[in-house]
Amino acid sequence: MRLEKKVALITGASGGIGNSLAHTFASEGADLILWDIAEPSPTLLAQIKNFSREVLFQKVNITQIKEVKEAMKDSYARLKRLDILINNAGITRDNLLFRMEERDWESVIEVNLKGTFNCTKVASRFMMKQKYGKIINIASVIGLTGNIGQTNYAASKAGILGLTKSVARELARFKINVNAIAPGYINTPMTQRLFPGVKEEILKNIPLGRFGEPVDVAKLALFLASEESDYLTGQVIKVDGGMVM
Protein backbone atom coordinates (compact mmCIF):
# COMPACT_ATOMS: atom_id res chain seq x y z
CA MET A 1 0.00 0.00 0.00
CA ARG A 2 1.48 3.30 -1.11
CA LEU A 3 -0.12 5.50 1.56
CA GLU A 4 -0.04 3.24 4.60
CA LYS A 5 0.11 5.23 7.88
CA LYS A 6 -0.40 8.49 5.99
CA VAL A 7 -3.15 11.00 6.82
CA ALA A 8 -4.80 12.78 3.89
CA LEU A 9 -7.13 15.77 4.01
CA ILE A 10 -9.45 16.11 1.00
CA THR A 11 -11.62 19.19 0.50
CA GLY A 12 -14.75 19.03 -1.62
CA ALA A 13 -15.00 15.39 -0.61
CA SER A 14 -18.70 15.03 -1.45
CA GLY A 15 -18.31 15.73 -5.18
CA GLY A 16 -17.58 13.28 -7.98
CA ILE A 17 -13.80 13.77 -8.00
CA GLY A 18 -13.75 14.07 -4.21
CA ASN A 19 -15.50 10.71 -3.84
CA SER A 20 -13.01 9.05 -6.14
CA LEU A 21 -10.06 10.62 -4.33
CA ALA A 22 -11.34 9.38 -0.97
CA HIS A 23 -12.00 5.86 -2.23
CA THR A 24 -8.63 5.60 -4.02
CA PHE A 25 -6.63 6.93 -1.09
CA ALA A 26 -8.41 4.70 1.43
CA SER A 27 -7.74 1.66 -0.75
CA GLU A 28 -4.02 2.52 -0.62
CA GLY A 29 -3.92 2.67 3.16
CA ALA A 30 -4.49 6.34 4.02
CA ASP A 31 -6.48 7.61 6.96
CA LEU A 32 -8.83 10.34 5.77
CA ILE A 33 -10.06 13.75 6.82
CA LEU A 34 -12.96 14.70 4.56
CA TRP A 35 -14.13 18.30 4.33
CA ASP A 36 -17.22 19.65 2.62
CA ILE A 37 -20.29 21.75 3.30
CA ALA A 38 -22.44 18.76 2.27
CA GLU A 39 -22.48 15.35 3.90
CA PRO A 40 -20.54 12.61 2.06
CA SER A 41 -22.58 9.79 0.60
CA PRO A 42 -23.31 6.85 2.93
CA THR A 43 -22.10 4.55 0.15
CA LEU A 44 -18.68 6.22 0.13
CA LEU A 45 -18.32 5.99 3.90
CA ALA A 46 -19.34 2.32 3.84
CA GLN A 47 -16.76 1.58 1.15
CA ILE A 48 -14.02 3.31 3.12
CA LYS A 49 -14.94 1.33 6.23
CA ASN A 50 -14.47 -1.85 4.19
CA PHE A 51 -10.80 -0.89 4.01
CA SER A 52 -10.80 -0.48 7.82
CA ARG A 53 -9.50 3.06 7.47
CA GLU A 54 -9.83 5.87 9.99
CA VAL A 55 -12.16 8.48 8.50
CA LEU A 56 -13.10 11.83 9.98
CA PHE A 57 -15.74 14.03 8.31
CA GLN A 58 -15.91 17.73 9.13
CA LYS A 59 -18.34 20.30 7.74
CA VAL A 60 -16.07 23.23 6.91
CA ASN A 61 -16.53 26.45 4.96
CA ILE A 62 -13.05 26.81 3.50
CA THR A 63 -13.59 30.49 2.67
CA GLN A 64 -13.47 31.22 6.41
CA ILE A 65 -9.91 31.02 7.74
CA LYS A 66 -11.13 30.69 11.34
CA GLU A 67 -13.14 27.58 10.48
CA VAL A 68 -10.19 26.12 8.60
CA LYS A 69 -7.83 26.69 11.54
CA GLU A 70 -10.22 25.19 14.09
CA ALA A 71 -11.08 22.13 12.00
CA MET A 72 -7.47 21.41 11.10
CA LYS A 73 -6.33 21.80 14.69
CA ASP A 74 -9.04 19.38 15.82
CA SER A 75 -8.29 16.77 13.15
CA TYR A 76 -4.54 16.98 13.81
CA ALA A 77 -5.13 16.45 17.53
CA ARG A 78 -7.18 13.33 16.76
CA LEU A 79 -5.04 11.75 14.02
CA LYS A 80 -1.64 13.12 15.11
CA ARG A 81 -0.40 13.80 11.56
CA LEU A 82 -1.18 15.60 8.34
CA ASP A 83 0.78 14.20 5.42
CA ILE A 84 -1.33 15.07 2.38
CA LEU A 85 -3.61 17.97 1.50
CA ILE A 86 -5.76 17.86 -1.63
CA ASN A 87 -7.40 21.18 -2.42
CA ASN A 88 -10.27 19.83 -4.48
CA ALA A 89 -13.24 22.01 -3.47
CA GLY A 90 -14.54 24.22 -6.24
CA ILE A 91 -17.67 25.78 -7.72
CA THR A 92 -18.81 27.37 -10.99
CA ARG A 93 -21.12 30.32 -11.64
CA ASP A 94 -20.95 30.55 -15.43
CA ASN A 95 -22.07 33.51 -17.49
CA LEU A 96 -20.77 35.84 -20.16
CA LEU A 97 -18.68 38.67 -18.75
CA PHE A 98 -21.19 41.45 -19.48
CA ARG A 99 -23.95 39.44 -17.77
CA MET A 100 -21.92 38.19 -14.81
CA GLU A 101 -23.04 39.49 -11.44
CA GLU A 102 -20.41 40.72 -9.01
CA ARG A 103 -21.53 38.12 -6.46
CA ASP A 104 -20.91 35.34 -9.00
CA TRP A 105 -17.38 36.58 -9.58
CA GLU A 106 -16.70 36.88 -5.85
CA SER A 107 -18.18 33.54 -4.82
CA VAL A 108 -16.07 31.57 -7.33
CA ILE A 109 -12.87 33.40 -6.37
CA GLU A 110 -13.70 32.96 -2.67
CA VAL A 111 -14.21 29.19 -2.83
CA ASN A 112 -11.76 28.17 -5.53
CA LEU A 113 -8.81 30.48 -4.91
CA LYS A 114 -9.16 31.89 -1.41
CA GLY A 115 -10.26 28.48 -0.11
CA THR A 116 -7.12 26.90 -1.57
CA PHE A 117 -5.01 29.67 -0.01
CA ASN A 118 -6.64 29.22 3.41
CA CYS A 119 -6.21 25.45 3.51
CA THR A 120 -2.65 25.57 2.18
CA LYS A 121 -1.61 28.29 4.61
CA VAL A 122 -2.91 26.41 7.65
CA ALA A 123 -1.87 22.89 6.59
CA SER A 124 1.65 23.97 5.70
CA ARG A 125 2.34 24.95 9.32
CA PHE A 126 1.74 21.38 10.47
CA MET A 127 3.74 19.96 7.56
CA MET A 128 6.66 22.31 8.23
CA LYS A 129 6.92 20.97 11.77
CA GLN A 130 6.95 17.41 10.40
CA LYS A 131 9.39 18.42 7.65
CA TYR A 132 7.26 16.42 5.25
CA GLY A 133 4.13 16.92 3.22
CA LYS A 134 2.39 16.64 -0.13
CA ILE A 135 0.04 19.37 -1.31
CA ILE A 136 -2.00 18.72 -4.45
CA ASN A 137 -4.16 21.46 -5.93
CA ILE A 138 -6.96 20.55 -8.31
CA ALA A 139 -6.93 23.29 -10.94
CA SER A 140 -8.31 23.01 -14.49
CA VAL A 141 -7.16 23.27 -18.09
CA ILE A 142 -9.52 26.27 -18.22
CA GLY A 143 -6.96 28.06 -16.04
CA LEU A 144 -4.49 27.58 -18.91
CA THR A 145 -6.73 28.31 -21.89
CA GLY A 146 -9.62 30.43 -20.64
CA ASN A 147 -13.18 29.70 -21.74
CA ILE A 148 -16.20 31.65 -22.95
CA GLY A 149 -18.63 32.19 -20.11
CA GLN A 150 -16.15 31.21 -17.42
CA THR A 151 -14.14 34.37 -16.71
CA ASN A 152 -14.50 33.88 -12.96
CA TYR A 153 -13.69 30.17 -13.03
CA ALA A 154 -10.71 30.61 -15.38
CA ALA A 155 -9.30 33.40 -13.21
CA SER A 156 -9.65 31.31 -10.04
CA LYS A 157 -7.95 28.28 -11.56
CA ALA A 158 -5.16 30.35 -13.15
CA GLY A 159 -4.61 31.84 -9.70
CA ILE A 160 -4.25 28.34 -8.27
CA LEU A 161 -1.49 27.61 -10.78
CA GLY A 162 0.47 30.69 -9.69
CA LEU A 163 -0.14 29.84 -6.04
CA THR A 164 1.13 26.29 -6.63
CA LYS A 165 4.41 27.42 -8.14
CA SER A 166 5.06 30.09 -5.51
CA VAL A 167 4.27 27.84 -2.55
CA ALA A 168 6.36 25.03 -4.07
CA ARG A 169 9.38 27.36 -3.98
CA GLU A 170 8.68 28.45 -0.42
CA LEU A 171 8.12 25.00 1.08
CA ALA A 172 10.73 22.92 -0.77
CA ARG A 173 13.27 23.40 2.02
CA PHE A 174 10.83 21.73 4.41
CA LYS A 175 10.56 18.67 2.13
CA ILE A 176 7.02 19.58 1.15
CA ASN A 177 6.04 18.92 -2.47
CA VAL A 178 3.40 21.16 -4.03
CA ASN A 179 1.90 20.27 -7.41
CA ALA A 180 -1.27 20.92 -9.39
CA ILE A 181 -3.51 18.71 -11.49
CA ALA A 182 -5.37 20.39 -14.36
CA PRO A 183 -8.29 18.18 -15.37
CA GLY A 184 -10.06 18.63 -18.68
CA TYR A 185 -13.67 17.51 -19.08
CA ILE A 186 -14.38 14.85 -16.46
CA ASN A 187 -17.65 12.90 -16.11
CA THR A 188 -19.12 14.59 -13.05
CA PRO A 189 -22.55 16.14 -12.33
CA MET A 190 -21.08 19.42 -13.62
CA THR A 191 -20.32 18.06 -17.12
CA GLN A 192 -23.44 15.89 -17.22
CA ARG A 193 -25.49 19.10 -17.35
CA LEU A 194 -23.99 20.00 -20.74
CA PHE A 195 -26.34 19.83 -23.71
CA PRO A 196 -25.69 16.88 -26.11
CA GLY A 197 -24.65 19.20 -28.95
CA VAL A 198 -22.13 20.95 -26.70
CA LYS A 199 -20.68 17.60 -25.62
CA GLU A 200 -20.22 16.56 -29.23
CA GLU A 201 -18.31 19.74 -30.03
CA ILE A 202 -16.05 19.28 -27.01
CA LEU A 203 -15.32 15.65 -27.90
CA LYS A 204 -14.10 16.73 -31.35
CA ASN A 205 -11.20 18.51 -29.59
CA ILE A 206 -10.21 15.57 -27.37
CA PRO A 207 -7.79 13.24 -29.20
CA LEU A 208 -8.70 10.28 -26.97
CA GLY A 209 -12.34 10.81 -27.94
CA ARG A 210 -13.97 10.68 -24.53
CA PHE A 211 -14.45 12.57 -21.30
CA GLY A 212 -12.26 11.53 -18.40
CA GLU A 213 -13.49 9.73 -15.31
CA PRO A 214 -12.97 10.92 -11.72
CA VAL A 215 -10.66 7.98 -11.12
CA ASP A 216 -8.31 9.31 -13.83
CA VAL A 217 -7.72 12.35 -11.63
CA ALA A 218 -7.55 10.25 -8.46
CA LYS A 219 -4.85 7.95 -9.85
CA LEU A 220 -2.61 10.90 -10.70
CA ALA A 221 -3.25 12.42 -7.27
CA LEU A 222 -2.25 9.09 -5.73
CA PHE A 223 1.06 9.21 -7.59
CA LEU A 224 1.68 12.80 -6.46
CA ALA A 225 0.83 11.88 -2.87
CA SER A 226 3.18 8.88 -2.82
CA GLU A 227 6.94 8.61 -2.43
CA GLU A 228 7.16 7.93 -6.16
CA SER A 229 6.83 11.67 -6.80
CA ASP A 230 9.37 12.90 -4.26
CA TYR A 231 11.39 14.76 -6.93
CA LEU A 232 8.38 16.56 -8.42
CA THR A 233 7.35 19.98 -7.19
CA GLY A 234 5.86 23.10 -8.73
CA GLN A 235 4.42 21.11 -11.63
CA VAL A 236 1.09 21.42 -13.44
CA ILE A 237 0.00 18.10 -14.94
CA LYS A 238 -2.95 17.97 -17.33
CA VAL A 239 -5.47 15.11 -17.30
CA ASP A 240 -7.48 15.98 -20.39
CA GLY A 241 -7.22 13.25 -23.02
CA GLY A 242 -4.83 15.40 -25.00
CA MET A 243 -7.21 18.35 -25.40
CA VAL A 244 -4.57 20.93 -24.43
CA MET A 245 -1.06 20.19 -25.71
Side-chain angles (χ1 to χ4, degrees):
M1 289 190 177
R2 285 184 276 181
L3 301 180
E4 192 169 6
K5 298 182 180 178
K6 301 294 186 186
V7 176
L9 166 57
I10 302 169
T11 72
S14 295
I17 292 176
N19 269 238
S20 189
L21 287 165
H23 184 275
T24 300
F25 276 47
S27 69
E28 288 290 340
D31 293 324
L32 300 179
I33 305 163
L34 305 179
W35 283 8
D36 210 312
I37 56 173
E39 296 284 343
S41 72
T43 302
L44 173 66
L45 294 178
Q47 289 172 340
I48 292 173
K49 288 177 182 178
N50 285 338
F51 296 115
S52 301
R53 302 312 322 157
E54 184 81 29
V55 56
L56 171 63
F57 173 76
Q58 295 170 304
K59 189 172 287 190
V60 181
N61 180 351
I62 61 170
T63 69
Q64 302 300 311
I65 189 75
K66 184 177 179 182
E67 283 192 39
V68 171
K69 287 179 177 178
E70 290 175 352
M72 209 168 289
K73 182 178 179 181
D74 177 64
S75 61
Y76 191 86
R78 295 169 68 173
L79 297 181
K80 310 304 180 186
R81 293 189 62 81
L82 180 59
D83 301 291
I84 302 154
L85 167 66
I86 305 184
N87 286 306
N88 171 64
I91 63 170
T92 58
R93 296 288 184 271
D94 296 351
N95 216 330
L96 295 173
L97 178 63
F98 71 93
R99 291 176 179 165
M100 187 174 290
E101 299 287 343
E102 185 177 8
R103 65 177 177 271
D104 291 333
W105 169 271
E106 290 177 344
S107 61
V108 170
I109 297 296
E110 284 272 305
V111 174
N112 298 3
L113 184 54
K114 184 185 176 185
T116 297
F117 164 79
N118 286 344
C119 295
T120 301
K121 175 183 170 69
V122 177
S124 64
R125 292 183 178 273
F126 294 99
M127 292 177 175
M128 286 163 68
K129 291 177 183 178
Q130 296 173 170
K131 287 190 166 42
Y132 176 84
K134 303 275 189 169
I135 299 174
I136 302 161
N137 298 323
I138 307 299
S140 170
V141 293
I142 301 304
L144 294 166
T145 66
N147 198 30
I148 294 170
Q150 290 193 304
T151 304
N152 48 4
Y153 185 75
S156 71
K157 294 301 187 177
I160 288 173
L161 301 183
L163 182 151
T164 297
K165 293 173 182 292
S166 298
V167 175
R169 291 181 181 275
E170 290 187 17
L171 298 183
R173 63 195 176 101
F174 297 100
K175 297 183 179 178
I176 299 170
N177 302 70
V178 187
N179 293 289
I181 296 174
Y185 286 91
I186 306 296
N187 274 322
T188 64
M190 191 183 300
T191 56
Q192 287 163 10
R193 290 195 296 267
L194 294 171
F195 292 113
V198 174
K199 286 185 178 181
E200 289 172 8
E201 286 302 310
I202 293 170
L203 287 170
K204 289 178 183 178
N205 295 312
I206 301 176
L208 288 182
R210 65 173 179 87
F211 283 4
E213 298 297 332
V215 72
D216 294 319
V217 178
K219 285 189 281 190
L220 176 55
L222 174 61
F223 166 72
L224 292 174
S226 73
E227 294 179 358
E228 296 164 14
S229 66
D230 282 352
Y231 199 54
L232 268 70
T233 199
Q235 302 304 304
V236 178
I237 306 174
K238 299 185 290 292
V239 183
D240 65 352
M243 185 177 73
V244 179
M245 294 190 187

